[in-house]
Amino acid sequence: MAFSNHVIGAINFVAMLLSIPIIGAGIWLANQPDNSCVRILQWPVIVLGVLILVVALAGFIGGFWRIPWLLIAYLVGMLILVILLACLVVFIYMVTVRGSGHLEPSRAYLEYHLEDFSGWLQRRVRSSYKWERIKLCLSSTDMCSQLNQSYNMAIDFFNSHLTPIESGCCKPPTACGYNFVNPTNWISPINNIADPDCIQWSNDQTQLCYNCNSCKAGLLANIKQEWRKVDIILLITLIALICVYLVGCCAFRNAKTEDIFRKYKQGYA
């Protein structure tokens, strides 16, 4: 049984290592300006990673020090966490399956519309109370002011590949027909009713298009891109954890079989 216990301990050490990319993905999300303003996914990911680390550590201790009840707790706890991780992977995929940018004539960047995204994501930004807090967080960053330092000519700006949040929050919608002065200063719109966001635009550098639905959509598009990256990491880790868990179950069963056989031999002797 000692060999099997060492195998179980080694397997759980691998499970401990697999918690690192999960925790790392949550920390990476927390450090992204848009996600730090919305604060939806990063803490569930970090907490789940920490729980997997703790449960795997329990299995590691139980394997090497031959503590049966701790191994059983590990098997039950890890099964629950694997199921939760699978649910999280599916949830992220489902809420990010919708929402993409739209091409505009003579523009390299894309425009974004709030109604394109899943209802669950829309509800995270539609509430005026929630958006006021998010807007203040976004406007405190320098993402829009940096555009003024990068683009002086209209043609250069129109050919730029802006991030979704820059496209939605730092400039007016293209359909409005505003004339370019600099990336955050636009005048004389041609069609002020082409989009409800047209009248929301302000050259006030603290306002810009932060009150626009396009800004909410750009934020969700940015979040979608980042969540999709995290989802890939979680999916790969989930597959690895399932493999580790199944091997651990087999090793635990073999250890129990060896123990029963050893007791049988001792009783027969």
Side-chain angles (χ1 to χ4, degrees), residues 11-196:
I11 289 169
N12 286 300
F13 180 74
V14 174
M16 289 167 58
L17 295 179
L18 289 174
S19 70
I20 295 174
I22 300 177
I23 297 172
I27 293 173
W28 178 77
L29 274 180
N31 286 317
Q32 301 306 304
D34 49 351
N35 273 282
S36 65
C37 290
V38 180
R39 292 179 291 189
I40 301 174
L41 186 65
Q42 52 265 46
W43 284 113
V45 173
I46 292 173
V47 169
L48 190 56
V50 171
L51 289 176
I52 290 173
L53 176 62
V54 171
V55 171
L57 179 60
F60 176 78
I61 295 172
F64 269 101
W65 277 271
R66 307 180 189 178
I67 308 174
W69 68 267
L70 202 54
L71 285 175
I72 294 173
Y74 153 75
L75 292 173
V76 174
M78 188 59 73
L79 177 61
I80 294 172
L81 291 176
V82 165
I83 293 173
L84 288 176
L85 181 58
C87 292
L88 183 60
V89 168
V90 173
F91 171 76
I92 294 173
Y93 174 78
M94 293 302 296
V95 299
T96 59
V97 72
R98 291 175 50 195
S100 57
H102 300 268
L103 288 169
E104 292 287 343
S106 305
R107 301 290 189 272
Y109 49 75
L110 301 177
E111 298 281 348
Y112 298 87
H113 304 301
L114 186 58
E115 60 272 14
D116 291 340
F117 295 88
S118 69
W120 188 88
L121 279 178
Q122 289 186 45
R123 287 191 291 273
R124 306 283 75 77
V125 297
R126 278 196 183 277
S127 164
S128 58
Y129 170 76
K130 291 179 180 178
W131 183 249
E132 192 63 30
R133 176 183 59 79
I134 295 170
K135 181 182 72 173
L136 289 174
C137 179
L138 291 176
S139 62
S140 67
T141 68
D142 60 353
M143 64 174 180
C144 293
S145 60
Q146 285 183 344
L147 295 177
N148 292 330
Q149 300 172 14
S150 301
Y151 305 103
N152 295 318
M153 303 294 292
I155 188 64
D156 294 331
F157 183 74
F158 295 155
N159 288 326
S160 64
H161 294 279
L162 304 179
T163 66
I165 199 167
E166 289 172 342
S167 175
C169 302
C170 300
K171 62 167 193 58
T174 301
C176 304
Y178 276 88
N179 291 308
F180 178 93
V181 177
N182 65 43
T184 60
N185 192 346
W186 302 69
I187 59 173
S188 307
I190 296 174
N191 189 356
N192 219 9
I193 60 172
D195 189 303

